Amino acid sequence: MAAPLQLCVRRSPSPDIGAFGASIRLRVPSDVACIEQAVSLVTRHCLSGTPASDRLRFRLQVVLAEALANAVICGNGQDPAKWVDVEAELSPGIIRVTVTDEGEGFDPAQVPEPTRPEQVFDTCGRGLFLIRKLVDELAFNEQGNSICMTLRRR
């Protein structure tokens, strides 16, 4: 059994987001055993102090889990010397979460649609497919090793 994950979360007001905004940051080891705890911790901090629907909580948990799994497994190749950075900008209207790995990156346009008949039995691209369906806005950095996911609070 892996040791309990101890994450350091810094919650601070963010001038870029406005008077009611805040941002949180944390680093996660490249270990799939850490993903569940990281998702729980980030979700708790993203939704604290504001009413959140079950739908928003579900969407946030799924996209975080998929983005972290992609970063740990595909991005960092589960290299224990590497880390995954998670940053969240919180405002009354939105939650914007960025997950960045230390890998070389990828071209998201080259990830095949997993619902195409020739892709049905291939496991590649399912996480990104789910993320695309559950977020309101999605962006990648130029290198392709950072994904920015925006969810509206509604």
Side-chain angles (χ1 to χ4, degrees):
M1 181 175 170
L5 181 63
Q6 295 184 11
L7 298 175
C8 178
V9 176
R10 298 182 191 271
R11 189 177 184 97
S12 58
S14 175
D16 296 334
I17 304 171
F20 299 104
S23 62
I24 60 173
R25 295 178 182 192
L26 63 96
R27 297 196 92 194
V28 181
S30 276
D31 183 346
V32 292
C34 297
I35 293 173
E36 185 177 346
Q37 290 180 353
V39 168
S40 176
L41 183 61
V42 172
T43 300
R44 183 167 14 107
H45 284 274
C46 285
L47 301 180
S48 70
T50 59
S53 67
D54 290 342
R55 183 173 187 270
L56 176 60
R57 179 178 304 277
F58 172 77
R59 292 168 56 217
L60 180 58
Q61 290 174 325
V62 170
V63 300
L64 271 170
E66 293 296 338
L68 282 165
N70 286 345
V72 168
I73 296 168
C74 302
N76 287 347
Q78 300 189 64
D79 182 342
K82 293 183 177 179
W83 295 83
V84 176
D85 291 309
V86 180
E87 297 181 32
E89 297 175 4
L90 312 172
S91 73
I94 65 164
I95 298 170
R96 180 170 293 126
V97 181
T98 302
V99 176
T100 305
D101 61 58
E102 297 183 62
E104 296 179 9
F106 73 105
D107 181 358
Q110 298 300 313
V111 176
E113 181 76 24
T115 58
R116 295 181 359 201
E118 64 272 17
Q119 297 300 131
V120 169
F121 296 108
D122 191 354
T123 58
C124 180
R126 296 182 189 283
L128 187 56
F129 175 81
L130 286 173
I131 292 170
R132 285 183 167 134
K133 296 297 183 187
L134 293 174
V135 300
D136 295 301
E137 294 176 32
L138 181 64
F140 297 88
N141 69 354
E142 191 172 321
Q143 183 179 335
N145 70 335
S146 185
I147 182 170
C148 178
M149 305 170 289
T150 302
L151 295 97
R152 291 189 186 88
R153 299 178 192 265
R154 41 188 147 144

